[in-house]
Amino acid sequence: MTVNESSGTRPALGVGIGWRDEIDVVVEQLPGVAWVEVVAENICPEHLPTSIRLLRDRRVPVIPHGVALGLGGADTPDMARVDRLARVASALDAPLVTEHVAFVRSGGMEAGHLLPVPRTREALKVIAENVRIAQQELPVPLALENIAPLFAWPEDELSEAQFLTELTDRTGVGLLVDVANLYTRQINLGVDAAAEIAALPMERISYVHVAGGRLVDGVWHDTHEHPLSRPVLELLAELCGRMKPPGVLLERDGNYPPPHELAGELEMIRKALQGSAAESPVPPALPVLPASG
């Protein structure tokens, strides 16, 4: 694995896709897939799926992406969950692990969603300590992702970019910047996504997520089940105009299209990385799809 000059010791990953067992053979055969990301909670470190072992034999980097640590909660991290994430990272020989700036449980109750944290200095202090606890137990560097919010807390004191910058300054944690989630924030909360990108600490970015979504009754849902939209690719190009991210990953979690369509979306990402997103045959800015049910 090489090292990206713009990102210090962060591995240069290239263009990748989220590995899911429903499309495992497709992922194995897609052209130009330089790396994959797996949902950490779906992987047993003692019994890796055959497809993952095949990719590892090909020296394709596999990065575990956690969804259940809840580092944004008031409680300290569940050490059993941290230990499991560490074992998955070791089993995959992963260059880093990723999680979210979110809370997922409180008082023993599971939310079932990645929920936004209050962006206050008091919350920042708690989250930074939770991150440090996790970092001490993980065998590789940790990067944290911004989530797709449906609401914001009224007591927020910091912007998303300010909060993430201070969190990285306090802990040294990396950032997994999801530009689709920034677009979600823009549509749902009226926050300028391009301005947020401009304010992010580029030197902390470990890699980038892109994904599709849908607009229902004026609310953008980050579904991971729909094609990439032009605004998301434009935000990716905006970020790439400021730095070359070490890696960009396409997330897809259902409603899987034929392999040639997935390959086409990966090619759109490559064009965005090369600064030619405007020439890519992508959907219109706000694809309005009928609500299900």
Side-chain angles (χ1 to χ4, degrees):
M1 189 178 302
T2 59
V3 173
N4 188 306
E5 291 181 358
S6 69
S7 58
T9 59
R10 289 168 293 166
L13 297 165
V15 175
I17 190 169
W19 182 94
R20 304 293 184 263
D21 56 7
E22 297 92 337
I23 54 170
D24 54 357
V25 176
V26 172
V27 171
E28 293 167 20
Q29 298 176 355
L30 277 173
V33 171
W35 63 290
V36 300
E37 179 191 79
V38 298
V39 177
E41 286 77 9
N42 293 345
I43 295 293
C44 176
E46 292 77 24
H47 302 284
L48 296 179
T50 300
S51 177
I52 291 296
R53 295 201 306 270
L54 173 64
L55 293 170
R56 291 296 303 126
D57 289 343
R58 294 178 183 172
R59 299 187 181 277
V60 175
V62 181
I63 294 177
H65 184 54
V67 297
L69 280 190
L71 295 173
D75 297 330
T76 56
D78 181 334
M79 297 312 295
R81 296 179 187 272
V82 176
D83 176 70
R84 189 183 187 284
L85 182 57
R87 289 187 290 113
V88 171
S90 295
L92 295 172
D93 192 25
L96 73 158
V97 298
T98 57
E99 247 287 353
H100 299 82
V101 181
F103 76 87
V104 298
R105 69 185 61 85
S106 179
M109 296 183 63
E110 297 286 336
H113 295 279
L114 296 167
L115 299 175
V117 302
R119 293 198 308 277
T120 64
R121 296 197 178 279
E122 182 179 3
L124 178 62
K125 180 179 178 181
V126 172
I127 295 169
E129 181 58 26
N130 287 346
V131 170
R132 282 191 286 264
I133 291 170
Q135 286 173 313
Q136 291 172 359
E137 303 301 322
L138 293 170
V140 292
L142 172 66
L144 297 179
E145 178 183 356
N146 58 296
I147 68 166
L150 294 176
F151 68 92
W153 296 97
E155 63 266 33
D156 282 350
E157 299 170 354
L158 303 167
S159 71
E160 177 99 305
Q162 289 172 332
F163 193 89
L164 294 175
T165 298
E166 290 210 25
L167 183 59
T168 62
D169 286 345
R170 293 187 185 203
T171 64
V173 74
L175 291 180
L176 193 181
V177 176
D178 191 317
V179 293
N181 291 354
L182 289 176
Y183 180 64
T184 302
R185 177 176 290 276
Q186 176 171 290
I187 297 301
N188 294 346
L189 304 180
V191 177
D192 187 335
E196 288 287 289
I197 287 173
L200 288 171
M202 296 291 152
E203 71 281 359
R204 295 291 190 181
I205 296 177
S206 297
Y207 63 88
V208 175
H209 273 174
V210 294
R214 65 187 300 191
L215 190 73
V216 180
D217 297 331
V219 177
W220 187 263
H221 297 266
D222 181 50
T223 64
H224 297 185
E225 295 185 351
H226 296 84
L228 292 176
S229 66
R230 181 176 293 277
V232 169
L233 284 170
E234 289 175 346
L235 287 174
L236 174 61
E238 174 74 22
L239 188 152
C240 292
R242 298 177 179 276
M243 61 92 72
K244 182 178 180 180
V248 181
L249 183 119
L250 173 65
E251 290 187 290
R252 193 79 182 218
D253 289 304
N255 191 28
Y256 299 105
H260 73 273
E261 291 186 20
L262 284 176
E265 291 200 335
L266 292 174
E267 184 59 27
M268 291 178 195
I269 293 169
R270 292 186 187 96
K271 289 183 177 181
L273 284 169
Q274 297 164 3
S276 55
E279 301 172 5
S280 301
V282 297
L286 288 174
V288 180
L289 301 170
S292 59

